[in-house]
Amino acid sequence: MSEPSRFDRGHTDDLMSFLAASPTPYHAVANSAERLEKAGFRQVAETDAWDGTSGGKYVLRGGAIVAWFVPEGAVPHTPFRIVGAHTDSPNLRVKPRPDTGAHGWRQVAVEIYGGPLLNSWLDRDLGLAGRLTLRDGTTRLVNVDRPLLRVPQLAVHLDRSVSTDGLKLDKQRHLQPIWGLGDDIRDGDLIAFLEEESGLAPGEVTGWDLMTHSVEAPAYLGRGQELVAGPRMDNLLSMHAGVAALGSAATREDLPYIPVLAGFDHEENGSQSDTGADGPLLGGVLERSVFARGGSYEDRARAFAGTVCLSSDTGHAVHPNYAERHDPTHHPRVNGGPILKVNVNNRYATDGSGRAVFAAACEKAGVPFQTFVSNNSMPCGTTIGPITAARHGIKTVDIGVAILSMHSARELCGDRDPFLLANALVAFLEG
């Protein structure tokens, strides 16, 4: 393997800005689209007829984005090279009737999304962000990025058993954040507050998709600042790397493949939605791209047969306090390069031929990589890789960056790994 790519801390600085600016999937895809626009991509509507011209294009649907670059000379059966990721993260999401409270406290009713580490949301200053739907059917992003909410933990004096038996949280009773004082709880107070924050007229909002987020900024830490702490690394770290890689690949016109970025929503709760990996979005975009270039079903089949997807999602670095939970011969370390995820029961889609594709990309980029496999005594997680492989019949390889504190409100990675992942993705997309 060649020498690792020279580390550029600017990439990690930019990742931290991306994390801070993307408290929800809707903000993440809007920020991704803005970066792609600067790289020359243009948005196309799913309701319009598509043309077969070369260049960069993207589709937005809710919290999902699919972007692709057609090089000059691409034929209808040109295969795709896809980077897949997801935009959602576990958190607390606002219920349809959000206004609640008791005993002089105003609270917001929330529902648990995905599988968060619930204790990480306690006693943390939270903002509120998401998507507002207006009477005319249009949507507006909202982000109250200041301390607004807090889930207060019960004092130890009122629960002495917490020191011996551990913290026990009831998801319905113990996770409802406070946001003010008062006994006069009225339906519509929270939405009226957000209308005012957004400069909207009273009653203009008729629908909402809102969620909490920690307002603490991402930060370097450690003796040599070789670590990064921040929210939503699972999986905006991969989204950020994918956007950077696609923008870089789009500067070349001699590409043998059509590079694609697919950022899906709802991975954390099963991917079964119109914006999830188990939905029709990616397949529809790829097929329409083939047909827009004059292709037939035969061309579509040929293109898919030669397509490879790198499903990039965060994975587990070996935890120094719980090393026994990891496989004894596979100990991924932070700043050791991206990880190749393997599971013979197909919780990950990687096989030997897929490993060879990833190894070749890493070698071309001068990037070291590691392998992750679960301890046989522990259940293995999964991601969009197996879903993508099964739904579209394309070769898929599961990779990612090793982190600690996965699904916490604040996760931890190495400062070099995001840059190394992005370099590997560039080499993969360029073939």
Side-chain angles (χ1 to χ4, degrees):
M1 178 175 290
S2 57
E3 288 297 314
S5 304
R6 178 174 295 178
F7 174 48
D8 179 5
R9 194 155 194 160
H11 177 89
T12 309
D13 292 340
D14 190 61
L15 166 64
M16 294 164 72
S17 298
F18 184 78
L19 293 174
S22 305
T24 76
Y26 314 112
H27 290 82
V29 299
N31 290 325
S32 298
E34 181 180 0
R35 289 162 180 255
L36 290 172
E37 289 272 358
K38 292 178 180 178
F41 286 68
R42 63 180 177 87
Q43 184 177 1
V44 294
E46 293 185 81
T47 54
D48 291 344
W50 292 1
D51 59 51
T53 56
S54 60
K57 304 171 187 178
Y58 68 90
V59 166
L60 293 181
R61 184 192 291 183
I65 182 171
V66 179
W68 66 104
F69 178 78
V70 180
E72 291 284 353
V75 296
H77 61 265
T78 298
F80 301 93
R81 280 283 174 106
I82 305 169
V83 171
H86 67 88
T87 61
D88 59 320
S89 301
N91 55 18
L92 310 178
R93 301 203 172 188
V94 175
K95 288 185 175 180
R97 295 187 62 183
D99 299 291
T100 186
H103 308 291
W105 297 101
R106 289 183 180 271
Q107 294 176 275
V108 175
V110 296
E111 191 172 5
I112 312 302
Y113 178 83
L117 288 172
L118 296 177
N119 62 292
S120 70
W121 290 87
L122 302 179
D123 297 329
R124 190 180 292 275
D125 296 339
L126 303 176
L128 193 64
R131 177 180 67 174
L132 302 173
T133 302
L134 311 185
R135 287 189 177 278
D136 61 4
T138 61
T139 58
R140 179 82 61 89
L141 295 183
V142 61
N143 183 12
V144 183
D145 193 30
R146 65 178 186 272
L148 180 68
L149 305 136
R150 186 180 179 91
V151 182
Q153 188 169 187
L154 184 65
V156 67
H157 312 77
L158 302 178
D159 183 14
R160 298 290 184 180
S161 65
V162 71
S163 299
T164 56
D165 300 336
L167 179 64
K168 296 181 175 62
L169 294 173
D170 182 285
K171 293 180 180 180
Q172 178 62 36
R173 294 185 294 125
H174 298 155
L175 274 300
Q176 309 306 312
I178 60 172
W179 77 304
L181 299 173
D183 291 306
D184 183 21
I185 310 299
R186 294 172 297 181
D187 282 344
D189 277 355
L190 180 67
I191 301 307
F193 165 77
L194 293 175
E195 287 173 332
E196 184 177 356
E197 285 282 317
S198 304
L200 298 170
E204 195 169 351
V205 174
T206 57
W208 52 88
D209 303 280
L210 301 167
M211 56 204 76
T212 61
H213 65 277
S214 171
V215 298
E216 186 179 2
Y220 289 105
L221 62 86
R223 179 178 178 178
Q225 294 198 320
E226 66 267 47
L227 300 171
V228 179
R232 299 175 294 281
M233 291 182 183
D234 178 12
N235 186 34
L236 295 189
L237 189 159
S238 295
M239 277 297 300
H240 175 262
V243 171
L246 181 60
S248 177
T251 63
R252 290 186 50 185
E253 285 293 343
D254 58 341
L255 296 170
Y257 305 101
I258 295 173
V260 180
L261 171 66
F264 299 105
D265 201 354
H266 302 128
E267 187 274 344
E268 298 293 355
N269 61 9
S271 295
Q272 292 186 323
S273 71
D274 69 324
T275 53
D278 204 17
L281 179 59
L282 176 60
V285 168
L286 299 183
E287 289 180 346
R288 291 185 68 177
S289 175
V290 170
F291 298 152
R293 284 176 281 119
S296 62
Y297 182 82
E298 181 72 10
D299 292 311
R300 179 262 188 212
R302 293 175 65 187
F304 277 43
T307 292
V308 183
C309 173
L310 288 189
S311 161
S312 182
D313 200 351
T314 54
H316 303 292
V318 62
H319 197 301
N321 300 337
Y322 301 91
E324 74 280 0
R325 302 294 183 97
H326 300 264
D327 183 85
T329 60
H330 295 78
H331 279 179
R333 298 187 177 191
V334 296
N335 282 341
I339 57 174
L340 181 74
K341 301 179 179 180
V342 179
N343 179 263
V344 295
N345 292 305
N346 213 40
R347 300 291 286 174
Y348 301 126
T350 306
D351 62 11
S353 60
R355 184 188 192 282
V357 171
F358 184 59
C362 289
E363 183 175 9
K364 177 183 177 183
V367 169
F369 73 92
Q370 312 173 81
T371 304
F372 171 84
V373 63
S374 288
N375 186 306
N376 286 338
S377 299
M378 303 288 294
C380 181
T382 191
T383 182
I384 65 170
I387 294 171
T388 303
R391 181 168 184 84
H392 306 294
I394 58 180
K395 178 177 290 297
T396 304
V397 188
D398 277 300
I399 65 163
V401 162
I403 69 170
L404 292 182
S405 305
M406 187 183 295
H407 285 199
S408 172
R410 197 167 176 83
E411 297 163 324
L412 186 73
C413 76
D415 65 334
R416 295 173 178 266
D417 281 334
F419 172 77
L420 295 175
L421 173 66
N423 276 270
L425 296 183
V426 170
F428 167 73
L429 290 179
E430 291 181 350

